[in-house]
Every structure is written in C-alpha cells, then in structure tokens.
Amino acid sequence: MAGSDSRPFFLNLIKIRLPVPGVVSIFHRISGVFLFIAIPWFVYLLELSLKSDEGFEQVTRLLNQTFSKLLLIVILLSLIHHLFAGIRFLLTDFDIGLDKQQSKNTAWLVIILGIISFVLIMFGVCS
Amino acid sequence: MSAPGLQGLRPWIIQRITAVYLAIFIIYFALSAPSMGTMTAGEWRAWAGSPVNTISLGLFLIATLWHAWIGVRDVILDYFPNVVARLFVLALVAAVLLGSLLWGLKALLLML
C-alpha cells in the first residue's frame, strides 16, 4: 500500500463526479431494484385482472388513482432505462463499444433513447 | 459447484439469457397486447388465454423472477458485508420472489 495514502479517499457522493457510463451503470442497478419491488405488485394485478370481470374493474380503478399512476411512471422509467442500459451491457459482453469514447457515446445514447421512448409512450398513453 | 473457478459463471449466463427473453417478450407484449386504456376484461382474458400467450407469460414470469434473483443477490452481496444481515435479506428476497411465483402461476392456471 506504499504511496497509496495520497489517493483521494472520500465517499461524499456529491463530490464524486461520476462519468456518464458510471451514471448509466448505477441507474441500471437502482432501476433493477425498483423493478424487483414492482414484481409482487404486478403479479397481484395480473392475478386480479384475470380472475373475474369484477377483478378487472378493480384493477382499472386501482390504476386510475394518482398514486398508482406515479408508481407506473417510476416503473416505466426504470424499465426503459434498465432495458436500454441492459442491451448496452450485453453488447459490451461481446466486446462492442469498449473504448473510452465509444463507451461515453453509447452511454449518452442509452439516456437519450430512454427519454425519447418515455416521451413517446406518455404521448401514446395520454392521447 | 465442483469447479470453484466457475461458480459465478452459471448465474452470469442465466442473467444474460433471461435478459434476452425479457427484452423480446416486452417488445412483443407492447406490440400485440390490447392497448391498456381501452381494453375490456374479455379482450384481456382472450389475449392472455391464447395458448402461445399463456406460455410466453409463464416463461416471462419465470425469467423475470430468475433474472431478479441473480440481480438483487449481486446487489445484496455488495452492500451487506455482515453475514447474518446478508442471509436475512437474501431470504426475504427469496420469499418475495417465490411468493410471486406461486401467485403468478395461480393467475396463469386460471387461463386453463
């Protein structure tokens, strides 16, 4: 560990300037945890919606509540980011987009495609 | 488990295979399922009840839970160095996922 004392050692998250690929990576993880939390809720909604007509109506009413809509938006954002970032990681497994500049570009691409898809889906849902 | 050097490889591969299926199914679902705002209970049941869709949904359920297990396990291994806390959280996650599996299978069995 000689000479390693001069390493910048701080875990102040605000001070750490994470590069874009790092941002994509940490949000892949955070969105993954959100999606995990959403699983039981979605399974519950799936069962209820298929059980009977009343169940289906119940799901419709539930999803029309403002709180549910907010949850759905968070889950949608998570899903979109997780999907695009996941595709990017799969490509890196095949050694595609490994050099520094490419990795930066594809990270931005994930973010931009994510925002565009989100806006398009919200437009489709609201119109 | 017989080859110590390969222990992480199996989940790593399963994570990626399930990822590909999940991506394909999500796109298929978005394109083929009746649109959420306007569909009726009957349309929804007809979609989920067609054999191809019931099976694809079942596979989607299993792939999702498996993918989530590996992913969340990785996260837990990173953030819970204390073995007791780690085992507790892992068990909790496993319980949630297995419960979801049973409940999801119940939903799909309604289609038979």
Side-chain angles (χ1 to χ4, degrees):
Chain A
M1 295 298 272
S4 62
D5 287 342
S6 58
R7 289 174 303 168
F9 186 80
F10 48 78
L11 286 174
N12 184 339
L13 291 177
I14 298 159
K15 276 190 189 168
I16 295 175
R17 295 264 298 156
L18 206 55
V20 199
V23 173
V24 166
S25 177
I26 191 64
F27 274 108
H28 188 246
R29 184 162 266 217
I30 293 169
S31 59
V33 172
F34 280 170
L35 291 171
F36 159 71
I37 296 169
I39 290 174
W41 191 48
F42 268 45
V43 169
Y44 164 75
L45 291 176
L46 176 72
E47 199 269 347
L48 193 56
S49 71
L50 291 174
K51 191 159 62 179
S52 60
D53 286 1
E54 301 85 73
F56 186 88
E57 290 308 315
Q58 237 176 300
V59 171
T60 314
R61 253 180 286 123
L62 231 152
L63 292 184
N64 267 318
Q65 288 168 11
T66 313
F67 183 66
S68 303
K69 285 182 180 171
L70 287 176
L71 279 182
L72 284 179
I73 287 174
V74 173
I75 293 168
L76 178 65
L77 275 170
S78 300
L79 183 66
I80 289 171
H81 182 80
H82 204 79
L83 181 63
F84 284 127
I87 291 170
R88 178 173 174 276
F89 287 134
L90 279 179
L91 291 176
T92 60
D93 286 339
F94 290 99
D95 291 350
I96 298 169
L98 285 188
D99 83 54
K100 203 173 170 186
Q101 190 55 48
Q102 274 179 334
S103 141
K104 224 180 237 178
N105 294 345
T106 54
W108 274 114
L109 191 65
V110 164
I111 293 172
I112 292 165
L113 281 178
I115 293 171
I116 293 174
S117 321
F118 176 71
V119 170
L120 285 179
I121 291 171
M122 290 307 281
F123 253 116
V125 171
C126 296
S127 64
Chain B
M1 294 292 138
S2 53
L6 289 178
Q7 275 184 13
L9 189 61
R10 206 177 82 112
W12 187 88
I13 288 172
I14 292 168
Q15 185 76 320
R16 275 139 188 87
I17 294 172
T18 51
V20 171
Y21 180 76
L22 294 176
I24 293 171
F25 179 86
I26 286 167
I27 292 163
Y28 168 71
F29 182 81
L31 295 177
S32 89
S35 91
M36 229 172 116
T38 55
M39 74 175 157
T40 63
E43 280 170 1
W44 174 230
R45 220 172 302 131
W47 186 88
S50 100
V52 171
N53 292 337
T54 310
I55 292 168
S56 318
L57 264 172
L59 289 175
F60 177 69
L61 178 70
I62 292 168
T64 302
L65 298 173
W66 208 343
H67 188 90
W69 168 248
I70 298 167
V72 174
R73 194 202 58 164
D74 285 347
V75 173
I76 291 169
L77 294 184
D78 278 350
Y79 301 131
F80 291 87
N82 178 296
V83 178
V84 177
R86 181 185 279 186
L87 276 177
F88 178 75
V89 181
L90 278 175
L92 197 70
V93 168
V96 168
L97 291 176
L98 286 174
S100 300
L101 176 66
L102 293 177
W103 203 247
L105 288 179
K106 177 180 180 281
L108 292 176
L109 287 175
L110 291 173
M111 296 292 93
L112 296 180

Coordinates of all heavy atoms in Angstrom, one line a residue, chain B residues 3 6-7 13-14 21 26 28 31 40 45 47 49 51 55 66 71 73 83 85 88-89 98-99 101 103:
Chain B
A3 N -16.4 -27.1 -9.7 CA -15.3 -26.3 -10.2 C -15.3 -24.9 -9.5 O -16.1 -24.1 -10.0 CB -15.3 -26.2 -11.7
L6 N -15.6 -21.7 -11.5 CA -16.7 -21.5 -12.4 C -18.0 -21.1 -11.7 O -19.0 -20.9 -12.3 CB -17.0 -22.7 -13.2 CG -15.9 -23.1 -14.3 CD1 -16.3 -24.4 -15.0 CD2 -15.8 -21.9 -15.3
Q7 N -17.9 -20.9 -10.4 CA -19.1 -20.7 -9.6 C -20.0 -19.5 -10.0 O -21.2 -19.6 -9.9 CB -18.7 -20.6 -8.1 CG -18.6 -21.9 -7.4 CD -18.4 -21.8 -6.0 OE1 -18.6 -20.7 -5.4 NE2 -18.0 -22.9 -5.3
I13 N -24.4 -16.4 -16.9 CA -25.0 -16.7 -18.2 C -26.5 -16.7 -18.1 O -27.2 -16.2 -19.0 CB -24.5 -18.1 -18.7 CG1 -23.1 -18.0 -19.1 CG2 -25.4 -18.7 -19.8 CD1 -22.4 -19.4 -19.3
I14 N -27.1 -17.2 -17.1 CA -28.5 -17.2 -16.9 C -29.1 -15.8 -16.9 O -30.1 -15.5 -17.5 CB -29.0 -17.9 -15.6 CG1 -28.6 -19.4 -15.8 CG2 -30.4 -17.7 -15.3 CD1 -28.7 -20.2 -14.5
Y21 N -34.6 -12.9 -23.4 CA -36.0 -13.3 -23.4 C -36.9 -12.2 -22.9 O -37.9 -11.9 -23.5 CB -36.3 -14.6 -22.7 CG -37.8 -15.0 -22.8 CD1 -38.3 -15.5 -24.0 CD2 -38.6 -14.7 -21.7 CE1 -39.6 -15.8 -24.1 CE2 -40.0 -15.0 -21.9 CZ -40.5 -15.6 -23.0 OH -41.8 -15.8 -23.2
I26 N -41.1 -8.2 -23.8 CA -41.6 -6.9 -23.5 C -42.0 -6.2 -24.8 O -43.1 -5.6 -25.0 CB -40.6 -6.0 -22.7 CG1 -40.6 -6.6 -21.3 CG2 -41.0 -4.6 -22.8 CD1 -39.4 -6.1 -20.5
Y28 N -42.7 -7.7 -27.7 CA -43.9 -8.5 -28.2 C -45.2 -8.1 -27.5 O -46.2 -7.8 -28.1 CB -43.6 -10.0 -28.0 CG -44.9 -10.8 -28.3 CD1 -45.4 -11.0 -29.6 CD2 -45.5 -11.5 -27.2 CE1 -46.5 -11.8 -29.8 CE2 -46.7 -12.2 -27.4 CZ -47.2 -12.4 -28.7 OH -48.3 -13.1 -28.9
L31 N -46.4 -4.7 -28.5 CA -47.0 -4.6 -29.9 C -48.3 -5.4 -30.0 O -49.2 -5.0 -30.8 CB -46.0 -5.2 -30.9 CG -44.7 -4.4 -31.0 CD1 -43.7 -5.0 -32.0 CD2 -45.0 -2.9 -31.5
T40 N -61.1 -4.2 -22.8 CA -62.1 -4.8 -21.9 C -61.6 -6.0 -21.2 O -60.6 -6.6 -21.6 CB -63.4 -5.1 -22.6 OG1 -63.1 -6.2 -23.6 CG2 -64.0 -3.9 -23.4
R45 N -58.6 -11.2 -21.3 CA -58.6 -12.6 -21.0 C -58.3 -13.4 -22.3 O -57.7 -14.4 -22.2 CB -59.9 -13.0 -20.3 CG -59.6 -14.0 -19.2 CD -60.8 -14.4 -18.3 NE -61.3 -13.2 -17.7 CZ -62.6 -12.9 -17.7 NH1 -63.5 -13.6 -18.3 NH2 -63.1 -11.8 -17.1
W47 N -56.6 -12.4 -24.8 CA -55.2 -12.3 -25.2 C -54.3 -13.2 -24.3 O -53.6 -14.1 -24.8 CB -54.7 -10.9 -25.0 CG -53.3 -10.7 -25.5 CD1 -52.9 -10.4 -26.8 CD2 -52.1 -10.9 -24.7 NE1 -51.5 -10.4 -26.9 CE2 -51.0 -10.7 -25.6 CE3 -51.8 -11.2 -23.4 CZ2 -49.7 -10.8 -25.3 CZ3 -50.5 -11.3 -23.0 CH2 -49.4 -11.1 -23.9
G49 N -55.3 -15.7 -22.6 CA -55.7 -17.1 -22.6 C -55.3 -17.9 -23.9 O -55.5 -19.1 -23.9
P51 N -53.1 -20.0 -26.1 CA -52.0 -20.8 -25.6 C -50.6 -20.2 -25.7 O -49.8 -20.3 -24.8 CB -52.2 -22.1 -26.5 CG -53.6 -22.1 -27.0 CD -54.0 -20.6 -27.1
I55 N -48.3 -19.4 -22.4 CA -47.0 -20.0 -22.2 C -45.9 -18.9 -22.2 O -45.0 -18.9 -21.3 CB -46.7 -21.0 -23.3 CG1 -47.7 -22.2 -23.1 CG2 -45.3 -21.5 -23.3 CD1 -47.7 -23.2 -24.2
W66 N -36.2 -15.2 -12.0 CA -34.8 -15.7 -12.0 C -33.8 -14.6 -12.2 O -32.8 -14.4 -11.5 CB -34.6 -16.8 -13.1 CG -33.6 -17.8 -12.9 CD1 -32.6 -17.7 -11.9 CD2 -33.5 -19.1 -13.5 NE1 -31.8 -18.9 -12.0 CE2 -32.3 -19.7 -12.9 CE3 -34.1 -19.7 -14.5 CZ2 -31.9 -21.0 -13.4 CZ3 -33.7 -21.0 -15.0 CH2 -32.6 -21.6 -14.4
G71 N -29.9 -10.6 -10.0 CA -29.5 -9.2 -9.9 C -29.5 -8.7 -8.5 O -28.6 -8.0 -8.1
R73 N -29.5 -10.4 -5.8 CA -28.5 -11.1 -5.0 C -27.1 -10.4 -5.1 O -26.4 -10.2 -4.2 CB -28.4 -12.6 -5.5 CG -27.6 -13.5 -4.6 CD -27.1 -14.7 -5.4 NE -26.2 -14.3 -6.5 CZ -25.4 -15.0 -7.1 NH1 -25.3 -16.3 -6.9 NH2 -24.6 -14.6 -8.1
V83 N -22.6 -11.2 7.5 CA -23.2 -12.4 7.0 C -24.6 -12.7 7.5 O -25.5 -13.1 6.7 CB -22.3 -13.6 7.4 CG1 -22.9 -14.9 6.9 CG2 -20.9 -13.5 6.9
A85 N -26.9 -10.4 8.4 CA -27.8 -9.4 7.7 C -28.0 -9.9 6.3 O -29.1 -9.9 5.7 CB -27.2 -8.0 7.8
F88 N -30.3 -12.8 6.0 CA -31.7 -12.4 6.3 C -32.3 -11.7 5.1 O -33.4 -12.1 4.7 CB -31.7 -11.5 7.5 CG -33.0 -10.9 7.9 CD1 -33.9 -11.8 8.5 CD2 -33.4 -9.6 7.5 CE1 -35.2 -11.3 8.8 CE2 -34.6 -9.2 7.8 CZ -35.6 -10.0 8.5
V89 N -31.6 -10.8 4.5 CA -32.1 -10.0 3.3 C -32.3 -11.0 2.1 O -33.3 -10.9 1.4 CB -31.2 -8.8 3.0 CG1 -31.8 -8.1 1.8 CG2 -31.1 -7.9 4.2
L98 N -40.4 -16.2 -4.5 CA -41.2 -17.5 -4.6 C -42.7 -17.2 -4.4 O -43.5 -17.9 -5.0 CB -40.6 -18.4 -3.5 CG -39.2 -19.0 -3.8 CD1 -38.7 -19.8 -2.7 CD2 -39.3 -19.9 -5.1
G99 N -43.0 -16.3 -3.5 CA -44.4 -16.0 -3.3 C -45.0 -15.4 -4.6 O -46.1 -15.8 -5.0
L101 N -44.0 -16.1 -7.6 CA -44.0 -17.2 -8.5 C -45.3 -18.0 -8.3 O -46.1 -18.3 -9.3 CB -42.8 -18.2 -8.3 CG -42.9 -19.4 -9.1 CD1 -42.7 -19.1 -10.6 CD2 -41.8 -20.4 -8.7
W103 N -48.1 -17.0 -6.8 CA -49.3 -16.2 -7.1 C -49.4 -16.0 -8.7 O -50.6 -16.1 -9.2 CB -49.2 -14.9 -6.4 CG -50.5 -14.2 -6.2 CD1 -51.0 -13.1 -6.8 CD2 -51.6 -14.7 -5.4 NE1 -52.2 -12.8 -6.4 CE2 -52.6 -13.7 -5.5 CE3 -51.8 -15.8 -4.5 CZ2 -53.9 -13.9 -4.9 CZ3 -53.0 -15.9 -3.9 CH2 -54.0 -15.0 -4.0

